[in-house]
Amino acid sequence: MTHTITLIPGDGIGPEVTSAVVSILKASGVAIDWEPHDAGVIAVERTGQTLPATLVESIRRNKVALKGPVTTPIAAGFTSVNVGLRKALDLYANLRPVWNLPGVDARFQGVDLVIVRENTEDLYAGLEHEVVPGVVESLKIITERASTRIAHFAFRHAERHRRKRVTAIHKANIMKLSDGLFLECARRVAREYPGVAYDERIVDAACMQLVMFPERFDVLLLPNLYGDIVSDLCAGLVGGLGVVGAANLGADIGVFEAVHGSAPDIAGKNAANPTALLLSAVLMLRHIDENDAADRIMKALAGVLTAGRVRTRDLGGAASTTEFADAVSAAL
Ligand code: NAI
């Protein structure tokens, strides 16, 4: 069977890591017809829009997309394409498995946790305004509907993947209403899954515990902003942003992208590690029931990383993006 999948190369290191991953998927033998689409600043140059309607339609039609990172200007300029896409397609769950890859040196070994981040609201609602000069207001939106469905997602994921515990992360001691509602929904949903343990941590304490005892965590359930921050922290536990994949999931659509951004500091140098996007692509293959190819890619990746001869610079090696991708393809 040939799968038609939307491909968003993105910008910065995006085109380099996506073409590396596309070449590895080709070597794995999975039949994919890619539908490439621009987004962000590149799309503006060509279409006048950062998130062209044709791109959104392509994903709605194909139900699956592989996405490179897209730059968002800081403090001014257009709003985030990434946030816009998640909202447009109601990709309410951001799933980020964090675990030690074989052969990758990291501050910790034995980390195996999953971040489940609410993806559509919180301070990422983008509702900001100037009240009077010198005073701005940013609205944190938390709804019962979104909090309940992300909690169900976390517990269903725990059940399906035989995970033992869901930990809700919050700051409800200060934000009693907003984080309070998130927590109340998590508690209510937890009662429906008696086979999965449930506990809670205040976000600051959770960060401290994550960098001391990461092996104690299993599934983390977080509102959008904490989820974004804690994801990068967790990536740092297992070797950095180059080695953590992710998925944005809605009711019937999946957009698979790495946790990292467009890395302007190394863009255009053929130096980025494509492993993070490759891990996202492996999640994508499992999502479309191509488990055999997913297993073979993981084996090939583990083989290359363990042999250690071909490593990208973020992992202490000297290999380029393409050399690394070629090594994984050859191992396949
Ligand atoms: P970043 O994740 O792009 O980079 C942070 C650091 O990690 C940099 O030193 C970079 O070189 C390194 N890094 C990231 N990915 C790497 C890889 N695959 N291999 C080796 N090293 C890697 O974060 P930053 O610099 O804060 O953001 C840059 C831009 O990306 C911003 O415009 C941001 O808004 C955007 N962004 C986009 C995301 C997306 O499209 N989903 C997610 C996160 C950020």
Side-chain angles (χ1 to χ4, degrees):
M1 173 187 176
T2 300
H3 305 274
T4 307
I5 297 179
T6 307
L7 181 69
I8 308 162
D11 53 46
I13 59 168
E16 299 163 63
V17 289
T18 43
S19 87
V21 169
V22 165
S23 72
I24 295 168
L25 292 193
K26 191 169 175 209
S28 79
V30 192
I32 300 177
D33 254 350
W34 296 104
E35 264 183 30
H37 281 271
D38 289 332
V41 72
I42 309 174
V44 175
E45 284 160 16
R46 294 191 191 155
T47 67
Q49 294 169 298
T50 52
L51 188 56
T54 47
L55 159 59
V56 178
E57 280 157 23
S58 166
I59 303 178
R60 281 215 175 97
R61 196 170 51 244
N62 298 330
K63 310 278 186 227
V64 183
L66 183 67
K67 176 183 168 297
V70 176
T71 302
T72 309
I74 291 177
F78 59 83
T79 54
S80 166
V81 168
N82 310 307
V83 173
L85 193 62
R86 292 165 193 169
K87 277 199 211 159
L89 297 169
D90 200 21
L91 302 169
Y92 67 89
N94 195 317
L95 181 73
R96 299 176 158 183
V98 180
W99 46 282
N100 295 100
L101 281 174
V104 173
D105 286 340
R107 290 196 176 273
F108 294 90
Q109 293 297 324
V111 180
D112 179 14
L113 56 86
V114 177
I115 290 173
V116 174
R117 163 186 171 193
E118 203 291 323
N119 225 5
T120 61
E121 54 181 31
D122 194 355
L123 279 159
Y124 286 49
L127 299 172
E128 290 190 313
H129 60 270
E130 187 177 61
V131 182
V132 291
V135 182
V136 293
E137 197 168 54
S138 186
L139 299 182
K140 171 163 167 140
I141 309 293
I142 299 286
T143 65
E144 184 177 356
R145 175 175 175 269
S147 304
T148 302
R149 75 177 171 172
I150 195 66
H152 274 295
F153 181 97
F155 279 94
R156 274 199 311 268
H157 182 87
E159 273 190 344
R160 267 187 217 145
H161 297 269
R162 298 204 182 86
R163 290 191 169 268
K164 297 198 163 36
R165 175 181 302 275
V166 171
T167 303
I169 312 279
H170 66 93
K171 190 80 190 178
N173 49 332
I174 306 296
M175 280 158 281
K176 295 179 194 294
L177 280 182
S178 53
D179 282 14
L181 176 58
F182 185 83
L183 215 47
E184 191 187 308
C185 296
R187 286 175 187 167
R188 207 160 45 220
V189 170
R191 289 198 280 275
E192 296 180 39
Y193 299 84
V196 181
Y198 170 75
D199 62 5
E200 300 165 353
R201 294 275 187 288
I202 294 177
V203 62
D204 38 359
C207 288
M208 184 271 292
Q209 288 172 358
L210 276 163
V211 298
M212 291 186 76
F213 325 106
E215 68 286 347
R216 292 189 189 168
F217 288 85
D218 198 346
V219 177
L220 274 62
L221 167 64
L222 307 101
N224 208 340
L225 177 63
Y226 310 145
D228 194 2
I229 297 167
V230 171
S231 296
D232 277 31
L233 181 153
C234 289
L237 302 174
V238 296
L241 285 166
V243 293
V244 180
N248 298 292
L249 300 166
D252 63 347
I253 296 180
V255 174
F256 297 82
E257 65 179 337
V259 171
H260 65 71
S262 56
D265 52 338
I266 55 168
K269 296 181 179 158
N270 196 16
N273 187 349
T275 302
L277 189 65
L278 184 60
L279 293 172
S280 312
V282 165
L283 289 173
M284 180 186 82
L285 291 176
R286 298 203 188 285
H287 180 80
I288 59 173
D289 284 331
E290 291 283 2
N291 288 302
D292 178 55
D295 291 343
R296 283 186 292 111
I297 290 174
M298 286 311 297
K299 206 170 153 207
L301 175 65
V304 172
L305 289 171
T306 311
R309 283 187 301 277
V310 188
R311 273 171 196 272
T312 45
R313 280 187 233 166
D314 58 314
L315 299 185
S320 66
T321 309
T322 39
E323 282 164 351
F324 186 78
D326 290 347
V328 177
S329 296
L332 272 162

